[in-house]
Amino acid sequence: MSEAASQKNTVLMEKIVSLCKRRGFIFQSAEIYGGLNGCWDYGPLGTELKRNLKDYWWRKNVQEREDIVGMDGSILTHQDVLKASGHVGGFSDPMCDCLLSKARLRADQIDPQSGTVYSYSGASHEESEWSVEREYSVLLTEGQDESKARKTARLYYSQFLSDKQISPKKIELAGESTEVVENTTRYNPENGSLLTEAREFNLMFKTHMGASADGGDESSVAYLRPETAQTIFTQFKNVAETNRVKVPFGIAQIGKSFRNEINPRNYTFRSREFEQMEIEFFCRPEEGMALTDEWLERRLTFYEEIGISRENLHVLDVPDGERAHYSKKTYDIEYAFPFGIQELEGVAYRTDYDLSKHKEHSGKPIEIFDDETKEKLLPHVVEPSAGCDRTILALICEAFAEETITNEKGKEEVRTVMRFSPRMAPIKVGVFPLLKNKPELVAKAREIQQMLVPHMAVFYDETAAIGRRYRRQDEVGTPFCVTVDFETLGESGDELKDTVTLRERDSMSQKRIPISELRSFLLDQIA
Ligand code: GAP
């Protein structure tokens, strides 16, 4: 991406974040206390949007299917579950710290750099008789002046000064030597400073349960689940035995997951608390590969159905060596966010890895009886695992638009509009009386509001000029607005009596519609 395009996308992202805060979609968690990094609170409109997404996902993947059932597992997870799944020993990222800025970086995400390393053995300050012996080095890439290496090293050693009044410039460096290096990842790309060796950093939130928790009793350790999937695996046998299901069948779950991400970033994209929408689809071994392809197509269709255009979706067929060791096939469904093409969902063929691990660690038989083959079966599993918050962010990015229009007074203005599909839009219809000081108009508008509220989210508004009211609804993505005017009351004759103006958000076109047809028209649009 060119510098200009990247700048444009940064500005776009800032506009999106600002609108989300201004109109009550998303707030930073504990903002009044300075914010809780990596955690977000959804405001009234964000909550409606999220609810619409989750409801639609549930409807498509559970209610409309005979072969998938739902469950809702606990967030607090038994340590043995996560030992069996490999999360306790292995769910970690390699991390290193910048010795100068203390920034923590994912070691595997540092781009290799080449240049000259300037190394030092220590530093001193003669006047105060201070000295420190400690090895440190700085990487200079092509074109950087050697004075930068010395300045960076002095800043580093100044951390150890007991007298903080001494300027880093007065520090003498000791034992300077240089070496040309290629493709090193040992230095911070931001400032050239040496990094610590990479250490494994477990991403799970650990907690203690019960009365023995204070005593540091290891048996009281529990975890906040890092994925919803494991509750599905551990309840697989219970669900299968109580629901007369036959392979292939799925168990679906929507719920919170927690990961102590090192660098939460890109707004809600990488959070420490987030929601997942996961299906574990259990099948016979020979069905796994074909079902993975089937699920990929089904999931792509789902994204289109909620208003994400196919051209902004990318499919990555994760190559051998980059997939989880137990996965025979994985597709990442990615979205072109303003900050780059990034993963929305993984569709993975996980073989029988999870169930066999739980069988082994629990010592319990998990197999089910396959009616068709008349044999015991430990099913394989295909897992479409979507991020709810990431999908919300994609919906918001996809919907956001600014366009120049000519307003009612003939002047050009910028219209901000969220083009949510009616199915996902937080508010489905705005209902307005043309004037708020005409009791008959207000009464009729209230009547229409009451008629619609049992069926959809309605917003009643009687303040400001009608054009302003339309713009306010455009900005939050309300697909339709209904205005009650004098024609509705029959003041221009019987022909338009009991009709209202229906204004469509994207085209801004207006038409008359009988009040009696309004509910079914809107229900058709938002289904
Ligand atoms: N059970 C499989 C699993 O959890 P994953 O790729 O780690 O796989 C699945 O996560 C989805 O969960 C991701 O595609 C993403 O949408 C979402 N997700 C994962 N980590 C996230 C985070 N830190 N913040 C927001 N969403 C996240």
Side-chain angles (χ1 to χ4, degrees):
M1 197 188 296
S2 72
E3 181 86 352
S6 148
Q7 181 70 22
K8 200 170 148 214
N9 285 336
T10 307
V11 171
L12 172 62
M13 207 52 217
E14 281 166 7
K15 284 182 181 170
I16 290 173
V17 172
S18 153
L19 183 139
C20 283
K21 180 169 182 203
R22 184 160 38 83
R23 297 307 309 267
F25 281 89
I26 301 172
F27 307 118
Q28 178 160 34
S29 176
E31 189 192 85
I32 59 169
Y33 292 100
L36 184 62
N37 197 8
C39 299
W40 301 92
D41 296 335
Y42 286 80
L45 292 178
T47 307
E48 290 291 336
L49 182 61
K50 212 172 180 192
R51 194 170 278 268
N52 292 341
L53 171 64
K54 290 192 283 185
D55 286 352
Y56 190 66
W57 187 93
W58 196 257
R59 195 174 105 200
K60 284 283 152 188
N61 291 304
V62 181
Q63 292 168 341
E64 289 184 7
R65 292 187 65 122
E66 283 184 10
D67 57 352
I68 303 186
V69 291
M71 72 165 283
D72 187 6
S74 68
I75 285 170
L76 286 168
T77 307
H78 195 301
Q79 51 175 298
D80 289 351
V81 170
L82 295 163
K83 280 180 189 160
S85 66
H87 285 88
V88 170
F91 192 52
S92 55
D93 283 337
M95 301 307 306
C96 50
D97 296 328
C98 172
L99 288 172
L100 184 65
S101 68
K102 310 294 175 217
R104 186 155 278 183
L105 284 82
R106 279 269 300 265
D108 55 342
Q109 287 177 355
I110 298 170
D111 287 333
Q113 306 174 87
S114 300
T116 306
V117 170
Y118 282 69
S119 301
Y120 303 92
S121 57
S124 60
H125 182 252
E126 211 176 317
E127 252 170 72
S128 64
E129 295 183 354
W130 168 86
S131 69
V132 61
E133 274 182 38
R134 192 180 274 254
E135 296 200 341
Y136 179 67
S137 52
V138 182
L139 176 74
L140 293 190
T141 49
E142 205 187 325
Q144 291 183 322
D145 192 87
E146 59 185 20
S147 62
K148 179 176 181 278
R150 294 179 189 131
K151 192 174 165 199
T152 307
R154 286 194 177 96
L155 274 178
Y156 165 73
Y157 285 117
S158 71
Q159 302 173 84
F160 307 105
L161 279 166
S162 39
D163 180 354
K164 297 292 175 205
Q165 300 304 318
I166 297 172
S167 159
K169 287 183 192 156
K170 301 272 166 65
I171 292 176
E172 284 293 320
L173 298 169
E176 182 178 282
S177 63
T178 59
E179 186 194 356
V180 175
V181 294
E182 277 188 20
N183 297 326
T184 174
T185 52
R186 295 283 293 116
Y187 296 87
N188 185 350
E190 289 289 314
N191 57 16
S193 168
L194 183 67
L195 300 163
T196 59
E197 293 286 345
R199 282 172 294 122
E200 290 298 318
F201 182 91
N202 194 289
L203 296 182
M204 283 198 298
F205 285 96
K206 193 176 189 179
T207 188
H208 291 267
M209 284 178 73
S212 58
D214 279 352
D217 176 1
E218 273 303 301
S219 68
S220 72
V221 167
Y223 295 92
L224 303 190
R225 66 181 174 196
E227 59 174 8
T228 61
Q230 293 306 321
T231 33
I232 300 182
F233 295 128
T234 50
Q235 294 300 350
F236 163 75
K237 188 83 192 258
N238 277 336
V239 174
E241 284 181 354
T242 52
N243 286 275
R244 292 163 45 95
V245 279
K246 287 192 209 139
V247 280
F249 76 95
I251 305 177
Q253 177 167 213
I254 299 179
K256 290 264 185 172
S257 293
F258 302 82
R259 295 181 192 177
N260 196 6
E261 299 283 359
I262 314 305
N263 291 322
R265 67 197 147 112
N266 290 330
Y267 198 26
T268 58
F269 180 82
R270 191 174 301 288
S271 305
R272 290 185 167 138
E273 174 174 341
F274 54 96
E275 252 175 304
Q276 291 184 307
M277 305 185 290
E278 295 196 296
I279 300 163
E280 304 304 329
F281 201 75
F282 299 98
C283 61
R284 298 183 187 93
E286 62 275 18
E287 296 166 326
M289 289 300 242
L291 278 169
T292 311
D293 286 347
E294 254 177 55
W295 270 107
L296 171 68
E297 283 312 314
R298 205 171 281 135
R299 296 301 303 144
L300 289 168
T301 305
F302 176 88
Y303 286 111
E304 288 182 86
E305 286 170 356
I306 60 172
I308 294 182
S309 61
R310 188 69 182 251
E311 68 189 32
N312 283 333
L313 291 171
H314 298 248
V315 175
L316 175 72
D317 186 350
V318 183
D320 291 348
E322 288 182 31
R323 292 191 299 270
H325 62 91
Y326 47 77
S327 171
K328 276 201 178 160
K329 184 97 188 156
T330 299
Y331 294 111
D332 283 350
I333 301 178
E334 303 175 320
Y335 178 73
F337 289 98
F339 45 83
I341 296 174
Q342 300 273 354
E343 179 186 327
L344 266 189
E345 166 162 358
V347 179
Y349 173 27
R350 297 175 69 123
T351 64
D352 61 353
Y353 175 81
D354 304 273
L355 289 183
S356 59
K357 283 285 163 200
H358 287 300
K359 180 181 157 187
E360 178 191 325
H361 283 251
S362 68
K364 302 272 168 24
I366 298 189
E367 291 90 347
I368 52 170
F369 185 73
D370 185 346
D371 277 343
E372 212 164 274
T373 60
K374 308 285 179 219
E375 282 173 5
K376 275 187 176 178
L377 170 74
L378 190 66
H380 280 217
V381 73
V382 175
E383 177 196 64
S385 169
C388 181
D389 306 81
R390 283 192 189 173
T391 309
I392 291 293
L393 187 56
L395 284 173
I396 289 173
C397 292
E398 182 87 7
F400 182 87
E402 284 180 324
E403 54 185 35
T404 306
I405 55 157
T406 308
N407 70 16
E408 302 78 21
K409 293 177 189 149
K411 281 199 175 153
E412 285 206 336
E413 67 174 35
V414 174
R415 176 171 93 120
T416 303
V417 54
M418 292 292 257
R419 298 186 194 279
F420 291 125
S421 77
R423 187 174 269 151
M424 287 296 113
I427 301 169
K428 307 300 185 192
V429 60
V431 176
F432 316 144
L434 185 63
L435 300 170
K436 74 169 173 186
N437 56 6
K438 280 277 169 202
E440 304 90 320
L441 293 176
V442 170
K444 198 62 168 173
R446 287 287 190 196
E447 212 179 280
I448 293 172
Q449 177 196 15
Q450 288 314 311
M451 173 184 82
L452 297 174
V453 281
H455 308 279
M456 64 193 77
V458 182
F459 189 82
Y460 175 85
D461 191 2
E462 57 182 26
T463 61
I466 206 77
R468 282 266 316 274
R469 282 183 258 172
Y470 286 150
R471 295 288 178 276
R472 289 201 289 238
Q473 291 309 307
D474 288 345
E475 210 184 30
V476 297
T478 306
F480 303 101
C481 288
V482 162
T483 302
V484 174
D485 52 23
F486 293 106
E487 276 86 11
T488 315
L489 303 179
E491 292 193 7
S492 321
D494 276 351
E495 199 189 329
L496 296 180
K497 190 164 184 273
D498 288 328
T499 66
V500 285
T501 302
L502 181 80
R503 188 250 192 194
E504 202 266 329
R505 177 197 65 204
D506 295 343
S507 63
M508 294 191 289
S509 65
Q510 302 189 5
K511 64 174 184 183
R512 301 294 300 187
I513 178 168
I515 295 172
S516 58
E517 291 173 19
L518 198 53
R519 187 172 67 197
S520 62
F521 169 82
L522 291 170
L523 283 175
D524 274 356
Q525 302 294 314
I526 66 177

